[in-house]
Amino acid sequence: MNNPTIIIADYYRCHRDEIIHFITMRINDREEAQDMVQDLFLRLLDGCQLIAEQTLPNLVYTMVHHIVADYYRRHHVYEEYEHYIHRSADTADTIESVFSAQQIIERMEYSLARLPEECRKVYRLHIYDGMKVSEISKELNINYKKVENRLGQARKVVRQHLKICI
């Protein structure tokens, strides 16, 4: 039984509820935990890792640790943003002084229009599709370092333009 797909499927059938419970105990949201477990196993099935029955449990729990950390990182950013918006709304003279998400996206797209097409593609895949640099590299069949450089260049231009506008 050396087929990674079969190994992952068997592990999923046997340990799905255990992993959901493990994540639920950390984030206190069972539905979110179920989504995380599903995403985890889809990543495993899509991944190129060498998977063996002996190493799969450690890999799964390492990935669970990272997924939970990412969840709290995202949650923290959302809380900071909400706090900023509420604080801005309290101190602002008018409601027009607070940028809407649509206005920010419009300004970001305007600044992206100033970039070469390669940088725009990389930035959009990263921001809108949530892809990582390695995934973008595979998707566009471009060297990993080139993707990093293009993403950095795009971020720099967008950041500068948003600072000027805000």
Side-chain angles (χ1 to χ4, degrees):
M1 194 155 96
N2 289 334
N3 186 347
T5 305
I6 294 172
I7 294 170
I8 293 169
D10 288 343
Y11 190 84
Y12 178 80
R13 275 191 291 277
C14 294
H15 300 281
R16 176 184 176 273
D17 293 333
E18 172 189 329
I19 298 168
I20 290 172
H21 179 71
F22 183 82
I23 294 174
T24 302
M25 295 303 293
R26 280 147 183 80
I27 67 170
N28 296 323
D29 186 348
R30 184 161 178 82
E31 289 180 10
E32 184 72 26
Q34 290 171 340
D35 290 343
M36 289 174 163
V37 169
Q38 185 175 5
D39 290 343
L40 168 87
F41 281 96
L42 286 174
R43 283 186 199 165
L44 281 171
L45 289 170
D46 287 342
C48 302
Q49 306 100 323
L50 294 174
I51 296 177
E53 288 182 56
Q54 297 80 11
T55 60
L56 185 59
N58 292 335
L59 176 62
V60 167
Y61 279 96
T62 299
M63 290 176 74
V64 164
H65 172 74
H66 292 291
I67 288 171
V68 170
D70 289 344
Y71 170 83
Y72 279 112
R73 231 178 267 121
R74 251 189 341 269
H75 188 70
H76 178 70
V77 169
Y78 292 150
E79 283 181 354
E80 273 186 12
Y81 182 71
E82 283 180 1
H83 177 70
Y84 170 76
I85 292 297
H86 290 296
R87 189 172 35 124
S88 297
D90 292 342
T91 61
D93 294 332
T94 63
I95 194 69
E96 291 85 19
S97 64
V98 178
F99 282 106
S100 72
Q102 183 61 35
Q103 288 172 320
I104 292 172
I105 290 172
E106 287 172 3
R107 292 176 188 267
M108 190 170 66
E109 286 297 328
Y110 177 78
S111 59
L112 282 176
R114 299 172 183 264
L115 289 169
E117 180 63 30
E118 302 86 25
C119 292
R120 277 189 298 228
K121 278 184 186 176
V122 169
Y123 192 78
R124 283 191 176 116
L125 287 173
H126 181 69
I127 295 297
Y128 296 129
D129 296 339
M131 295 175 77
K132 297 178 183 171
V133 175
S134 58
E135 296 169 336
I136 296 169
S137 175
K138 289 178 186 175
E139 173 86 16
L140 300 178
N141 199 22
I142 302 174
N143 183 341
Y144 184 91
K145 280 293 184 188
K146 283 186 181 179
V147 172
E148 275 186 335
N149 289 335
R150 290 176 182 171
L151 182 59
Q153 183 182 3
R155 283 177 173 160
K156 184 176 179 182
V157 168
V158 170
R159 210 176 300 126
Q160 286 175 343
H161 185 73
L162 288 177
K163 280 183 185 178
I164 292 169
C165 293
I166 295 175

